Amino acid sequence: MSHKEEGAPAFKAPPLACDAHFHVFGLPGKYAYGADIRYQPPHAPLEDFLELAGHLGVERYVFVQPSAYGRNNDCMLDAMRAVGIGKCRGIVDIAQDASDSEFDRLNGIGVRGIRINENPIKPFEPGYSKTMLSRIRTLDARCAERGWMLDFLTPGWLTRELLPEMRKLKSQHTVAHMGMFLAKDGPKQPGNQEFHAYLRDSDKCWVKFTGTYRMSVAPGFADAAPMARALIETVPDRIIWGSDYPHLSFADKVTSTELFNLLAQWAPDAATRKKILVDNPQRLFRF
């Protein structure tokens, strides 16, 4: 389906709007996949994403390394080179002991952060966060030295478990999918309340309006609206938006335009949308 067939955007994107979280995939066999394949990797080339960006009026892009490629970032880096550092940034997945020269190489292409990525449907496993601390602490120190960020994608129970560690971080960090607290439990659920308390206390943590379908079950994602509005009330200057294109295992259930249009419901005020789409990502990614 052409992106134009998804219907028109509900509002005109402000100039220099940014899609701050999406993925690209090459043809099967072109780039080696990693060992942890959670879904059937699609073919989602840069050209298709750029068509979507044109449809939505998005002019800046933050590529995020998908889990299917493991630590082979080549597909994303090739796309970033094609776009150019003036318009894009990237979040990679690399080993905590990667060389300084590798950091320098990636920085030159436009990389500005590293993923801390756990399976979003990982079942509750108390204490699991302890297995992540060595990687988080090592990469936090290395990111802080370079002005990079850590990019967390974790199920809500794990986001909650990691909050004490996040409070110690020296680097800026982003939390995807609104922390992935289940929308059906509402903004007053304990984990979400603790997350908001952390956001109020810290100037280093940013939230992504991404992957709404991973934390919402209601028709039209209606149950996500109170979650989103509570975040806008708590931390309007540290929210960024991403399409999460190509939506992977949800691709037959949702379109990028539908997700973009949610912003019109969550933030009816154009000035707030400009913060989320332009001003906040510009500050965070230093476009």
Side-chain angles (χ1 to χ4, degrees), residues 7-15 17-18 53-58 209 241 256-278:
F11 62 94
K12 183 175 170 58
C18 179
H55 178 61
L56 297 179
V58 168
F209 279 174
W241 176 86
S256 299
T257 305
E258 181 183 1
L259 296 168
F260 181 79
N261 289 348
L262 291 174
L263 274 180
Q265 302 170 28
W266 300 346
D269 177 54
T272 304
R273 293 199 299 268
K274 181 175 177 286
K275 279 185 182 179
I276 293 168
L277 289 168
V278 183

Side-chain angles (χ1 to χ4, degrees), residues 114-118 132 135-136 139 150-154:
I114 303 171
R115 294 203 88 179
I116 305 292
N117 180 7
E118 288 293 335
M132 306 166 65
R135 175 171 167 79
I136 289 171
L139 289 175
L150 292 177
D151 180 60
F152 289 90
L153 191 154
T154 48

Side-chain angles (χ1 to χ4, degrees), residues 61-88:
Y61 326 121
V62 183
F63 292 82
V64 176
Q65 169 73 349
S67 64
Y69 284 123
R71 292 184 179 158
N72 171 16
N73 298 281
D74 290 348
C75 179
M76 185 187 86
L77 296 174
D78 285 351
M80 289 177 66
R81 288 189 194 95
V83 169
I85 197 170
K87 282 190 157 191
C88 76

